[in-house]
Amino acid sequence: MTGRTIVFIFSILALSACAPTVRAPATLYDQLGGNAGIARLTDAAIDQYAADPRVAPMFDHVDIGRFRRVFAEYICVVSDGPCRYTGASMADAHRGMNLHEGQFNAIVEDLTAAMTSVHVSVPTQNRLIKRLAKVRTDVLYK
Amino acid sequence: MIANSVNPSSANVCMRWAIAFFFIAIAHAARAGDGRLIATGGATEVEGSAGGGLVPWAVLAGYGTRDEIGGSVFRTQLQLPDYRLDAYGGAFTIDNRVEFSLARDRFDLGTLGKAIGMPGAALRQNVMGVKVRLAGDLVYGDLPQISIGAQYKHDLDFSIPKLVGARHDSGTDVYITATHLELAALDGYDLLWNLTVRSSNANQFGLLGFGGDRGDRRWLAEGSVAMLFDPHWAAGVEYRQKPDHLSFAREDNAADVFLAWFANKHVAVIGSWVELGSIAGLARQRGAYLSLQGSF
């Protein structure tokens, strides 16, 4: 926590209070850097998952090339980007994995680390995690 | 003498709890985990329960998920103009469902001690706590995490509390608490809120005994709000009503502002500015609070 960060946060708060409303709200997709940003994020996330012993075994029999594609599509759709998701539903994709709470949180932590590594801001990180977290009950202990 | 007398039965109870924790910990060692997200174990409040600094939250100590155990130890010091509070203890959580805690508070009487001819005198209490998570999750879902808890407190030095009018040397607080993290709620930053309702007859957290001439048990409201700058840093405020049941030693509500740093899932440091108001006749007791927490 640097002084700069605190100043930054208060500036944001101050700005948001008095900013004119004509500014078109950027989608979360834009905030993530569009397709290019999401591609970078996807690569960083896969690197994090591969390096995490809590997560890596889940990918033992997964086609990483396909995972990379549908993961990016999913992030794009969830963040209101102009994409179509071609993968399975979250419930179908995780059925039979018996994903437990610790593993789910490990995936969240790795994604957070990935977002930090590609310089996604904390508010944008939080917004994406909030949207992704909605599927938690669909995928846990299935 | 006040500070030097050790109540052997309390010491034994302490020891029994410590031994019980130790064996439960060994029995569960294979399941010790850190599956919950960082900072979701909270800090440790002065009575030993997971929460903020002054208020117990619905979160349970440590980082174990429903499949794991977790726990924490803490050491806190609060320096006031005329007194000093030292607190330490530990908590143990099974399956993110039930938390057992044990804490010792030592309230150095400082100025008052000298004034009454007992320099170095202190008031000590043991607090045994249990908290059960009833429903919800701190982070996920729309419902807050809801827990109920109890804190059994026993004074080791009751002469002064008795002198100022306290009725009992021990008491049990019961509380219900709801806590939730609102993701991206404040311009993208996560916002934590907590509400706790407590039934208590403890004067000054129990350090000045329980009950008095102005009443015994009553309902009290407590609350906290915090903003997370990132997963490791949080800042917030807390408020806690206190009973005011001793005519001889009027009591005020408590409040604090805090900054917490969760270095990782094992180490956290919490700095705070605490306002306790009047304590045993000495007004404007406010000062710096520092707490170190270790957890798993």
Side-chain angles (χ1 to χ4, degrees), chain B residues 176-258:
Chain B
I176 181 162
T177 165
T179 314
H180 201 232
L181 187 71
E182 306 297 340
L183 293 172
L186 200 68
D187 248 312
Y189 289 92
D190 296 344
L191 188 76
L192 180 141
W193 62 264
N194 170 78
L195 271 178
T196 300
V197 178
R198 179 195 301 254
S199 166
S200 173
N201 61 352
N203 307 313
Q204 298 292 1
F205 306 99
L207 290 158
L208 275 183
F210 303 82
D213 59 302
R214 290 165 48 82
D216 201 76
R217 185 169 289 278
R218 58 170 283 201
W219 289 101
L220 304 155
E222 306 172 12
S224 322
V225 178
M227 179 178 166
L228 280 76
F229 301 106
D230 67 25
H232 299 273
W233 285 92
V237 297
E238 291 187 294
Y239 189 81
R240 172 168 172 173
Q241 278 191 322
K242 308 218 305 297
D244 180 19
H245 287 165
L246 298 172
S247 298
F248 193 76
R250 296 303 293 269
E251 186 169 349
D252 294 314
N253 296 333
D256 72 80
V257 295
F258 67 87

Coordinates of all heavy atoms in Angstrom, one line a residue, chain B residues 176-258:
Chain B
I176 N -25.2 -12.9 17.9 CA -25.4 -13.3 16.6 C -24.8 -12.3 15.6 O -24.8 -11.1 15.9 CB -26.9 -13.5 16.3 CG1 -27.1 -14.1 14.8 CG2 -27.7 -12.3 16.5 CD1 -28.5 -14.7 14.6
T177 N -24.1 -12.8 14.6 CA -23.4 -11.8 13.8 C -23.6 -12.2 12.3 O -23.6 -13.4 11.9 CB -21.9 -11.8 14.2 OG1 -21.1 -11.2 13.1 CG2 -21.4 -13.2 14.4
A178 N -23.6 -11.2 11.5 CA -23.7 -11.4 10.0 C -22.6 -10.5 9.3 O -22.4 -9.4 9.7 CB -25.1 -10.9 9.5
T179 N -21.9 -11.1 8.4 CA -20.8 -10.5 7.8 C -20.8 -10.8 6.3 O -21.1 -12.0 5.9 CB -19.5 -10.9 8.4 OG1 -19.5 -10.9 9.8 CG2 -18.3 -10.0 7.9
H180 N -20.6 -9.8 5.4 CA -20.5 -10.2 4.0 C -19.5 -9.2 3.3 O -19.4 -8.1 3.7 CB -21.9 -10.1 3.4 CG -22.0 -10.8 2.1 ND1 -22.4 -10.3 0.9 CD2 -21.7 -12.1 1.8 CE1 -22.4 -11.2 -0.1 NE2 -22.0 -12.3 0.4
L181 N -18.9 -9.8 2.3 CA -18.0 -9.0 1.4 C -18.8 -8.7 0.2 O -19.2 -9.7 -0.5 CB -16.8 -9.9 1.1 CG -15.7 -9.1 0.4 CD1 -15.0 -8.1 1.3 CD2 -14.6 -10.1 -0.2
E182 N -19.0 -7.5 -0.1 CA -19.7 -7.1 -1.3 C -18.6 -6.8 -2.4 O -17.9 -5.8 -2.3 CB -20.5 -5.8 -1.1 CG -21.5 -5.9 0.1 CD -22.6 -7.0 -0.1 OE1 -22.8 -7.4 -1.2 OE2 -23.2 -7.4 0.9
L183 N -18.6 -7.8 -3.3 CA -17.5 -7.7 -4.4 C -17.8 -6.5 -5.3 O -18.9 -6.2 -5.7 CB -17.6 -9.0 -5.2 CG -17.1 -10.3 -4.5 CD1 -17.4 -11.5 -5.4 CD2 -15.7 -10.2 -4.1
A184 N -16.7 -5.8 -5.5 CA -16.7 -4.7 -6.5 C -17.8 -3.6 -6.1 O -18.3 -3.0 -7.0 CB -16.8 -5.2 -7.9
A185 N -18.1 -3.5 -4.9 CA -19.2 -2.6 -4.5 C -18.9 -1.1 -4.5 O -19.8 -0.3 -4.7 CB -19.8 -3.1 -3.1
L186 N -17.7 -0.8 -4.3 CA -17.4 0.6 -4.1 C -16.4 1.0 -5.2 O -15.2 0.9 -5.0 CB -16.7 0.8 -2.7 CG -16.8 2.2 -2.1 CD1 -18.2 2.7 -1.8 CD2 -15.9 2.3 -0.9
D187 N -16.9 1.4 -6.3 CA -16.1 1.8 -7.5 C -15.1 0.7 -7.8 O -14.0 0.9 -8.1 CB -15.3 3.1 -7.2 CG -15.8 4.2 -8.1 OD1 -15.9 4.0 -9.3 OD2 -16.1 5.3 -7.5
G188 N -15.6 -0.5 -7.7 CA -14.8 -1.7 -8.1 C -14.1 -2.3 -6.9 O -13.6 -3.4 -7.0
Y189 N -14.0 -1.6 -5.8 CA -13.3 -2.2 -4.6 C -14.3 -3.0 -3.7 O -15.5 -2.6 -3.7 CB -12.7 -1.0 -3.8 CG -11.5 -0.5 -4.5 CD1 -11.6 0.6 -5.3 CD2 -10.2 -1.1 -4.4 CE1 -10.5 1.1 -6.1 CE2 -9.2 -0.6 -5.1 CZ -9.3 0.5 -5.9 OH -8.2 1.0 -6.6
D190 N -13.8 -4.0 -3.1 CA -14.7 -4.9 -2.3 C -14.9 -4.2 -1.0 O -14.0 -3.5 -0.4 CB -14.0 -6.2 -2.0 CG -13.8 -7.0 -3.3 OD1 -14.4 -6.7 -4.3 OD2 -12.9 -8.0 -3.2
L191 N -16.2 -4.3 -0.5 CA -16.6 -3.7 0.7 C -17.1 -4.7 1.7 O -17.9 -5.5 1.4 CB -17.7 -2.7 0.4 CG -18.2 -1.8 1.5 CD1 -17.2 -0.7 1.7 CD2 -19.6 -1.2 1.2
L192 N -16.6 -4.7 2.9 CA -17.0 -5.7 3.9 C -17.9 -5.0 5.0 O -17.5 -3.9 5.4 CB -15.8 -6.3 4.6 CG -16.1 -7.3 5.7 CD1 -15.1 -8.5 5.7 CD2 -16.1 -6.7 7.1
W193 N -19.0 -5.6 5.3 CA -19.8 -5.1 6.4 C -20.1 -6.2 7.4 O -20.1 -7.3 7.1 CB -21.1 -4.4 5.9 CG -22.0 -5.4 5.2 CD1 -22.1 -5.6 3.8 CD2 -23.0 -6.2 5.8 NE1 -23.1 -6.5 3.5 CE2 -23.6 -6.9 4.7 CE3 -23.4 -6.5 7.1 CZ2 -24.7 -7.9 4.9 CZ3 -24.4 -7.4 7.3 CH2 -25.0 -8.1 6.2
N194 N -20.3 -5.7 8.6 CA -20.6 -6.7 9.7 C -21.6 -6.1 10.7 O -21.4 -4.9 11.0 CB -19.3 -7.1 10.4 CG -19.6 -7.8 11.7 OD1 -19.9 -9.0 11.6 ND2 -19.6 -7.2 12.8
L195 N -22.5 -6.9 11.1 CA -23.4 -6.4 12.2 C -23.5 -7.5 13.2 O -23.6 -8.7 12.9 CB -24.9 -6.3 11.6 CG -25.2 -4.9 11.1 CD1 -26.7 -4.9 10.6 CD2 -25.1 -3.8 12.2
T196 N -23.3 -7.1 14.5 CA -23.3 -8.1 15.6 C -24.3 -7.6 16.6 O -24.3 -6.4 16.9 CB -21.9 -8.2 16.2 OG1 -21.0 -8.7 15.1 CG2 -21.9 -9.2 17.3
V197 N -25.1 -8.5 17.1 CA -26.0 -8.1 18.2 C -25.6 -9.0 19.4 O -25.6 -10.3 19.2 CB -27.5 -8.3 17.9 CG1 -28.4 -8.0 19.1 CG2 -27.9 -7.4 16.7
R198 N -25.3 -8.4 20.5 CA -24.8 -9.2 21.6 C -25.6 -9.0 22.9 O -26.1 -7.9 23.1 CB -23.3 -8.7 21.9 CG -22.6 -9.3 23.1 CD -21.4 -8.6 23.5 NE -20.4 -8.3 22.5 CZ -19.2 -9.0 22.4 NH1 -18.9 -9.9 23.3 NH2 -18.4 -8.7 21.4
S199 N -25.8 -10.0 23.7 CA -26.4 -9.9 25.0 C -25.3 -10.1 26.0 O -24.6 -11.1 26.0 CB -27.5 -11.0 25.2 OG -27.8 -11.0 26.5
S200 N -25.1 -9.0 26.8 CA -23.9 -9.1 27.7 C -24.2 -8.3 29.0 O -25.0 -7.4 29.0 CB -22.7 -8.4 27.0 OG -21.6 -8.3 27.9
N201 N -23.6 -8.7 30.1 CA -23.6 -8.0 31.3 C -22.1 -7.6 31.7 O -21.8 -7.3 32.9 CB -24.3 -8.7 32.4 CG -23.6 -10.0 32.8 OD1 -22.7 -10.4 32.1 ND2 -24.0 -10.6 33.9
A202 N -21.2 -7.6 30.7 CA -19.8 -7.4 31.0 C -19.5 -5.9 31.1 O -19.7 -5.2 30.2 CB -18.9 -8.1 30.0
N203 N -18.9 -5.5 32.2 CA -18.4 -4.1 32.3 C -17.0 -4.0 31.8 O -16.2 -4.8 32.1 CB -18.4 -3.7 33.8 CG -19.7 -3.9 34.5 OD1 -20.8 -3.6 34.0 ND2 -19.7 -4.6 35.7
Q204 N -16.8 -3.1 30.8 CA -15.5 -2.9 30.2 C -15.0 -4.3 29.7 O -14.0 -4.8 30.1 CB -14.5 -2.2 31.1 CG -14.9 -0.8 31.5 CD -14.8 0.2 30.4 OE1 -14.6 -0.1 29.2 NE2 -15.2 1.4 30.7
F205 N -15.8 -4.9 28.9 CA -15.4 -6.2 28.2 C -15.4 -7.4 29.3 O -15.1 -8.5 28.9 CB -14.1 -6.2 27.5 CG -14.0 -5.1 26.5 CD1 -13.3 -3.9 26.8 CD2 -14.5 -5.2 25.3 CE1 -13.2 -2.9 25.9 CE2 -14.4 -4.2 24.3 CZ -13.8 -3.0 24.6
G206 N -15.7 -7.1 30.5 CA -15.6 -8.1 31.6 C -14.5 -7.8 32.6 O -14.5 -8.3 33.7
L207 N -13.6 -6.9 32.2 CA -12.5 -6.6 33.1 C -12.9 -5.9 34.4 O -12.2 -6.0 35.4 CB -11.5 -5.7 32.3 CG -10.7 -6.5 31.2 CD1 -10.2 -5.5 30.1 CD2 -9.6 -7.4 31.8
L208 N -14.0 -5.2 34.3 CA -14.6 -4.6 35.6 C -15.8 -5.5 36.1 O -16.7 -4.9 36.6 CB -15.0 -3.2 35.3 CG -13.8 -2.2 35.5 CD1 -14.4 -0.7 35.3 CD2 -13.1 -2.3 36.9
G209 N -15.7 -6.7 35.8 CA -16.8 -7.6 36.4 C -18.0 -7.6 35.5 O -18.0 -7.1 34.4
F210 N -19.1 -8.1 36.1 CA -20.3 -8.3 35.4 C -21.5 -7.8 36.2 O -21.7 -8.2 37.4 CB -20.5 -9.8 35.0 CG -19.3 -10.3 34.3 CD1 -18.1 -10.7 35.0 CD2 -19.3 -10.4 32.9 CE1 -17.0 -11.1 34.2 CE2 -18.2 -10.8 32.2 CZ -17.0 -11.2 32.9
G211 N -22.4 -7.0 35.5 CA -23.6 -6.5 36.2 C -23.2 -5.4 37.2 O -22.0 -5.2 37.5
G212 N -24.2 -4.6 37.6 CA -23.9 -3.5 38.5 C -25.2 -2.9 39.0 O -26.3 -3.5 38.8
D213 N -25.1 -1.8 39.8 CA -26.3 -1.2 40.4 C -27.2 -0.7 39.3 O -28.4 -0.5 39.6 CB -25.8 -0.1 41.3 CG -25.0 1.0 40.6 OD1 -24.0 0.7 40.0 OD2 -25.5 2.2 40.6
R214 N -26.7 -0.4 38.1 CA -27.6 0.2 37.1 C -28.2 -0.9 36.2 O -28.9 -0.5 35.2 CB -26.8 1.2 36.3 CG -26.5 2.5 37.0 CD -25.4 3.3 36.4 NE -25.7 3.5 34.9 CZ -26.5 4.4 34.4 NH1 -27.1 5.2 35.2 NH2 -26.6 4.5 33.1
G215 N -28.0 -2.1 36.4 CA -28.6 -3.1 35.6 C -27.7 -4.3 35.4 O -26.6 -4.4 35.9
D216 N -28.2 -5.3 34.7 CA -27.4 -6.5 34.5 C -27.3 -6.7 33.0 O -26.8 -5.9 32.3 CB -28.0 -7.7 35.2 CG -27.0 -8.8 35.4 OD1 -26.1 -8.7 36.3 OD2 -27.0 -9.8 34.6
R217 N -27.9 -7.8 32.5 CA -27.7 -8.1 31.0 C -28.5 -7.1 30.2 O -29.6 -6.7 30.5 CB -28.2 -9.5 30.9 CG -28.1 -10.1 29.5 CD -28.3 -11.6 29.6 NE -27.3 -12.3 30.3 CZ -26.1 -12.7 29.7 NH1 -25.9 -12.4 28.4 NH2 -25.2 -13.3 30.4
R218 N -28.0 -6.8 29.0 CA -28.7 -6.0 28.0 C -28.2 -6.3 26.6 O -27.2 -6.9 26.4 CB -28.6 -4.5 28.3 CG -27.2 -4.0 28.3 CD -27.2 -2.4 28.3 NE -27.5 -1.9 27.0 CZ -27.2 -0.7 26.6 NH1 -26.6 0.1 27.5 NH2 -27.4 -0.2 25.4
W219 N -29.0 -5.9 25.6 CA -28.7 -6.1 24.2 C -27.8 -5.0 23.7 O -28.1 -3.8 24.1 CB -29.9 -6.2 23.4 CG -30.7 -7.5 23.6 CD1 -31.8 -7.7 24.3 CD2 -30.4 -8.8 23.1 NE1 -32.2 -9.0 24.3 CE2 -31.3 -9.7 23.5 CE3 -29.3 -9.3 22.3 CZ2 -31.3 -11.1 23.2 CZ3 -29.3 -10.6 21.9 CH2 -30.3 -11.5 22.4
L220 N -26.8 -5.3 22.9 CA -25.9 -4.3 22.5 C -25.7 -4.5 21.0 O -25.7 -5.6 20.5 CB -24.6 -4.5 23.2 CG -24.6 -4.4 24.7 CD1 -23.5 -5.1 25.3 CD2 -24.7 -2.9 25.2
A221 N -25.5 -3.4 20.3 CA -25.3 -3.5 18.8 C -23.8 -3.2 18.5 O -23.2 -2.3 19.2 CB -26.2 -2.5 18.1
E222 N -23.3 -3.9 17.5 CA -21.9 -3.7 17.1 C -21.8 -3.7 15.6 O -22.6 -4.4 15.0 CB -21.0 -4.7 17.7 CG -21.1 -4.9 19.2 CD -20.4 -6.0 19.9 OE1 -19.6 -6.7 19.2 OE2 -20.6 -6.3 21.0
G223 N -20.9 -3.0 15.0 CA -20.8 -3.0 13.6 C -19.4 -2.6 13.1 O -18.6 -2.0 13.8
S224 N -19.2 -3.1 11.9 CA -17.9 -2.8 11.2 C -18.1 -2.6 9.7 O -19.0 -3.2 9.1 CB -16.9 -4.0 11.4 OG -17.0 -4.5 12.6
V225 N -17.3 -1.7 9.1 CA -17.3 -1.5 7.7 C -15.9 -1.4 7.3 O -15.1 -0.7 7.9 CB -18.1 -0.3 7.3 CG1 -18.0 -0.1 5.8 CG2 -19.5 -0.3 7.7
A226 N -15.5 -2.1 6.2 CA -14.1 -2.0 5.8 C -14.1 -2.0 4.2 O -14.9 -2.6 3.6 CB -13.3 -3.2 6.3
M227 N -13.0 -1.4 3.7 CA -12.8 -1.4 2.3 C -11.5 -2.1 2.0 O -10.5 -2.0 2.7 CB -12.7 0.0 1.8 CG -12.5 0.2 0.3 SD -12.4 1.9 -0.2 CE -11.7 1.8 -1.8
L228 N -11.5 -3.0 1.0 CA -10.3 -3.7 0.6 C -9.6 -3.1 -0.6 O -10.2 -3.0 -1.6 CB -10.6 -5.2 0.3 CG -10.8 -6.1 1.5 CD1 -12.2 -5.9 2.2 CD2 -10.7 -7.6 1.2
F229 N -8.4 -2.6 -0.3 CA -7.7 -1.9 -1.4 C -7.2 -2.9 -2.4 O -7.1 -2.7 -3.6 CB -6.5 -1.1 -0.9 CG -7.0 0.0 0.1 CD1 -6.8 -0.2 1.5 CD2 -7.7 1.1 -0.4 CE1 -7.2 0.8 2.3 CE2 -8.1 2.0 0.5 CZ -7.9 1.9 1.9
D230 N -6.8 -4.1 -1.9 CA -6.5 -5.3 -2.7 C -6.6 -6.5 -1.8 O -7.1 -6.3 -0.7 CB -5.1 -5.1 -3.3 CG -3.9 -5.1 -2.3 OD1 -4.1 -5.7 -1.2 OD2 -2.9 -4.5 -2.6
P231 N -6.3 -7.7 -2.2 CA -6.5 -8.8 -1.3 C -5.7 -8.7 0.0 O -6.1 -9.4 0.9 CB -6.1 -10.0 -2.2 CG -6.3 -9.6 -3.6 CD -5.9 -8.1 -3.6
H232 N -4.7 -7.9 0.1 CA -3.9 -7.9 1.3 C -4.1 -6.7 2.2 O -3.7 -6.8 3.4 CB -2.4 -7.9 0.8 CG -2.0 -9.1 0.0 ND1 -1.5 -10.2 0.6 CD2 -2.0 -9.3 -1.3 CE1 -1.3 -11.1 -0.3 NE2 -1.5 -10.6 -1.5
W233 N -4.7 -5.7 1.7 CA -4.9 -4.5 2.5 C -6.3 -4.1 2.7 O -7.1 -4.0 1.8 CB -4.2 -3.3 1.9 CG -2.7 -3.4 2.0 CD1 -1.8 -3.9 1.1 CD2 -1.9 -2.8 3.0 NE1 -0.5 -3.8 1.5 CE2 -0.5 -3.1 2.7 CE3 -2.2 -2.1 4.2 CZ2 0.5 -2.7 3.5 CZ3 -1.1 -1.8 5.0 CH2 0.2 -2.1 4.7
A234 N -6.7 -3.8 4.0 CA -8.0 -3.3 4.2 C -8.0 -2.2 5.3 O -7.1 -2.2 6.1 CB -8.9 -4.5 4.8
A235 N -8.9 -1.3 5.2 CA -9.1 -0.2 6.1 C -10.5 -0.1 6.5 O -11.4 -0.3 5.6 CB -8.5 1.1 5.6
G236 N -10.8 0.2 7.8 CA -12.2 0.3 8.1 C -12.5 0.9 9.5 O -11.5 1.4 10.1
V237 N -13.7 0.9 9.9 CA -14.1 1.4 11.2 C -15.0 0.4 11.9 O -15.6 -0.4 11.3 CB -14.9 2.8 11.0 CG1 -14.0 3.8 10.3 CG2 -16.2 2.5 10.1
E238 N -15.0 0.5 13.2 CA -15.8 -0.3 14.0 C -16.5 0.5 15.1 O -16.0 1.5 15.5 CB -15.0 -1.4 14.7 CG -14.4 -2.4 13.8 CD -13.8 -3.5 14.6 OE1 -12.8 -3.3 15.2 OE2 -14.3 -4.6 14.5
Y239 N -17.7 0.0 15.5 CA -18.4 0.6 16.6 C -18.9 -0.5 17.5 O -19.4 -1.5 17.0 CB -19.5 1.5 16.1 CG -20.1 2.3 17.2 CD1 -19.5 3.5 17.6 CD2 -21.3 1.9 17.8 CE1 -20.1 4.3 18.6 CE2 -21.9 2.7 18.8 CZ -21.3 3.9 19.2 OH -21.8 4.7 20.2
R240 N -18.9 -0.3 18.8 CA -19.4 -1.3 19.7 C -20.0 -0.7 20.9 O -19.4 0.1 21.7 CB -18.2 -2.2 20.2 CG -18.6 -3.2 21.3 CD -17.5 -4.2 21.5 NE -17.8 -5.1 22.7 CZ -17.1 -6.1 23.1 NH1 -16.1 -6.5 22.4 NH2 -17.5 -6.8 24.1
Q241 N -21.3 -1.0 21.1 CA -22.0 -0.5 22.3 C -21.5 -1.3 23.5 O -21.2 -2.5 23.4 CB -23.5 -0.7 22.2 CG -24.3 0.3 21.4 CD -25.8 0.1 21.6 OE1 -26.2 -1.0 21.6 NE2 -26.5 1.2 21.6
K242 N -21.4 -0.6 24.7 CA -21.0 -1.3 25.9 C -22.1 -1.0 26.9 O -22.7 0.0 26.9 CB -19.7 -0.8 26.4 CG -18.6 -0.9 25.3 CD -17.2 -1.4 25.7 CE -16.5 -0.6 26.8 NZ -16.2 0.8 26.5
P243 N -22.3 -2.0 27.9 CA -23.2 -1.7 29.0 C -22.7 -0.5 29.8 O -21.5 -0.2 29.7 CB -23.3 -3.0 29.8 CG -22.5 -4.0 29.0 CD -21.6 -3.2 28.1
D244 N -23.5 0.1 30.6 CA -23.1 1.2 31.4 C -23.8 1.0 32.8 O -24.8 1.7 33.1 CB -23.4 2.5 30.8 CG -23.0 3.7 31.6 OD1 -22.1 3.5 32.5 OD2 -23.6 4.8 31.4
H245 N -23.3 0.0 33.5 CA -24.1 -0.5 34.6 C -23.5 -0.3 36.0 O -23.9 -0.8 37.0 CB -24.4 -2.0 34.4 CG -25.4 -2.2 33.4 ND1 -25.7 -3.5 32.8 CD2 -26.3 -1.4 32.8 CE1 -26.7 -3.4 31.9 NE2 -27.1 -2.1 31.9
L246 N -22.4 0.6 36.0 CA -21.7 0.9 37.3 C -21.8 2.4 37.5 O -21.1 3.1 36.8 CB -20.3 0.4 37.3 CG -20.0 -1.1 37.1 CD1 -18.5 -1.4 37.0 CD2 -20.6 -1.8 38.3
S247 N -22.6 2.8 38.5 CA -22.6 4.3 38.8 C -21.3 4.8 39.1 O -20.9 6.0 38.8 CB -23.6 4.5 39.9 OG -24.9 4.1 39.6
F248 N -20.5 4.0 39.7 CA -19.2 4.4 40.2 C -18.1 4.5 39.1 O -17.1 5.2 39.3 CB -18.7 3.4 41.3 CG -17.6 3.9 42.1 CD1 -17.7 4.9 43.1 CD2 -16.3 3.4 41.9 CE1 -16.7 5.3 43.9 CE2 -15.2 3.8 42.6 CZ -15.4 4.8 43.6
A249 N -18.4 3.8 38.0 CA -17.4 3.8 36.9 C -18.2 3.8 35.6 O -18.3 2.7 35.0 CB -16.5 2.6 37.0
R250 N -18.6 5.0 35.2 CA -19.5 5.1 34.0 C -18.7 4.6 32.8 O -17.4 4.8 32.7 CB -20.0 6.5 33.9 CG -20.9 6.9 35.0 CD -22.1 6.0 35.1 NE -23.0 6.1 34.0 CZ -24.1 6.9 33.9 NH1 -24.4 7.7 34.9 NH2 -24.8 6.9 32.8
E251 N -19.4 4.1 31.8 CA -18.8 3.4 30.7 C -19.3 4.0 29.4 O -20.5 4.3 29.3 CB -19.1 1.9 30.8 CG -18.4 1.1 29.7 CD -18.5 -0.4 30.1 OE1 -19.0 -0.8 31.2 OE2 -18.2 -1.2 29.2
D252 N -18.4 4.2 28.4 CA -18.8 4.7 27.1 C -18.8 3.6 26.1 O -18.2 2.5 26.3 CB -17.9 5.8 26.7 CG -18.1 7.0 27.6 OD1 -19.2 7.4 27.9 OD2 -17.0 7.6 28.0
N253 N -19.4 3.8 24.9 CA -19.3 2.9 23.8 C -17.9 3.0 23.2 O -17.1 4.0 23.5 CB -20.3 3.2 22.7 CG -21.7 3.0 23.3 OD1 -21.9 2.2 24.2 ND2 -22.7 3.7 22.7
A254 N -17.5 2.0 22.4 CA -16.2 1.9 21.9 C -16.2 2.1 20.3 O -17.2 1.7 19.7 CB -15.5 0.6 22.2
A255 N -15.1 2.6 19.8 CA -15.0 2.8 18.3 C -13.6 2.7 17.9 O -12.7 2.9 18.8 CB -15.6 4.1 17.9
D256 N -13.3 2.3 16.7 CA -11.9 2.3 16.2 C -11.9 2.5 14.7 O -12.9 2.3 14.0 CB -11.2 1.0 16.6 CG -11.6 -0.2 15.8 OD1 -11.2 -0.3 14.7 OD2 -12.4 -1.0 16.4
V257 N -10.8 3.0 14.2 CA -10.4 3.0 12.8 C -9.2 2.1 12.6 O -8.3 2.1 13.5 CB -10.2 4.4 12.2 CG1 -11.4 5.2 12.3 CG2 -9.0 5.0 12.9
F258 N -9.2 1.2 11.6 CA -8.1 0.3 11.5 C -7.5 0.2 10.1 O -8.2 0.5 9.1 CB -8.5 -1.1 12.0 CG -9.5 -1.8 11.2 CD1 -9.1 -2.6 10.1 CD2 -10.9 -1.7 11.5 CE1 -10.1 -3.2 9.3 CE2 -11.8 -2.3 10.7 CZ -11.4 -3.1 9.6

